Amino acid sequence: DQQVKQNSPSLSVQEGRISILNCDYTNSMFDYFLWYKKYPAEGPTFLISISSIKDKNEDGRFTVFLNKSAKHLSLHIVPSQPGDSAVYFCAVPIKAAGNKLTFGGGTRVLVKP
Amino acid sequence: NAGVMQNPRHLVRRRGQEARLRCSPMKGHSHVYWYRQLPEEGLKFMVYLQKENIIDESGMPKERFSAEFPKEGPSILRIQQVVRGDSAAYFCASVGTEGSPLHFGNGTRLTVT
């Protein structure tokens, strides 16, 4: 029973263009969402988050959009850089379970120079 | 301020041996989570511990796996009688207060031969 889904396992984009990563969730009670970035042989690092009281949160080149009615969030990276090549995970804390994070399956982004 | 430290980074065990994975959380963090990432999959929650207490072990296999977080020293994830299917990257994360983003270590890559 996947509560968080990332339906695109991979994405290839040209340097300078926009990367759009998508994430769907099942539970309308979720009220906080995070994106993590992971390089090979390293642990995930926190990238950006959004609370359900907002529909957009921006941090430099990274913007997360939240569509509560569709139970969908997306991460936009503009402009994409080769150093952004990594696997990106969306995640939701499960409050009833000590805020443990449930992760999507990840999207591998390749930014071509 | 050192981040989450995991050791060893790589661990090779033969089938039937024991694997011990260690995690030292960030200074001041008293909440530790263990996650497992199988090849080409996302991160799956295993166990959540606070000092001397297991809070949620719903993601732990019922047999052969155990975890502890003693009053002094690192958190230990122990896998007895390892099998090939245990080969994965095991990540530890810590947090100071619930609701804050998790900080991950760089993982231990376990290979069972």
Side-chain angles (χ1 to χ4, degrees), chain A residues 36-39 41-45, chain B residues 3-7 9 22-26 33-35 43 89-94 102-108:
Chain A
Y36 278 79
K37 176 179 179 179
K38 186 182 179 304
Y39 291 118
E42 293 185 13
T45 54
Chain B
V4 178
M5 303 299 293
Q6 289 189 249
N7 66 82
R9 289 297 310 273
R22 286 177 291 277
C23 168
S24 295
M26 285 183 72
Y33 301 76
W34 284 92
Y35 285 80
L43 295 112
Y90 292 82
F91 293 96
C92 167
S94 73
L102 300 187
H103 294 265
F104 283 84
N106 283 329
T108 294

Side-chain angles (χ1 to χ4, degrees), chain A:
Chain A
D1 178 25
Q2 273 193 284
Q3 300 187 71
V4 185
K5 277 187 183 177
Q6 293 175 255
N7 290 319
S8 297
S10 63
L11 172 69
S12 182
V13 65
Q14 206 66 36
E15 182 179 4
R17 306 295 290 267
I18 184 171
S19 294
I20 300 177
L21 292 78
N22 295 303
C23 179
D24 297 297
Y25 59 95
T26 57
N27 191 335
S28 57
M29 298 299 291
F30 291 157
D31 60 5
Y32 187 60
F33 306 86
L34 305 94
W35 285 93
Y36 278 79
K37 176 179 179 179
K38 186 182 179 304
Y39 291 118
E42 293 185 13
T45 54
F46 169 71
L47 187 60
I48 192 169
S49 64
I50 189 166
S51 164
S52 61
I53 61 173
K54 294 185 174 183
D55 54 19
K56 176 182 173 181
N57 188 27
E58 192 171 349
D59 183 2
R61 296 184 298 111
F62 301 90
T63 303
V64 57
F65 295 92
L66 176 62
N67 183 335
K68 290 184 284 292
S69 60
K71 295 201 279 276
H72 176 86
L73 64 155
S74 61
L75 175 68
H76 293 209
I77 308 173
V78 183
S80 300
Q81 299 174 353
D84 297 330
S85 297
V87 179
Y88 292 79
F89 295 96
C90 63
V92 175
I94 308 298
K95 281 187 178 174
N99 279 315
K100 70 184 184 189
L101 289 180
T102 292
F103 285 87
T107 297
R108 184 180 303 275
V109 173
L110 175 63
V111 180
K112 298 178 183 175

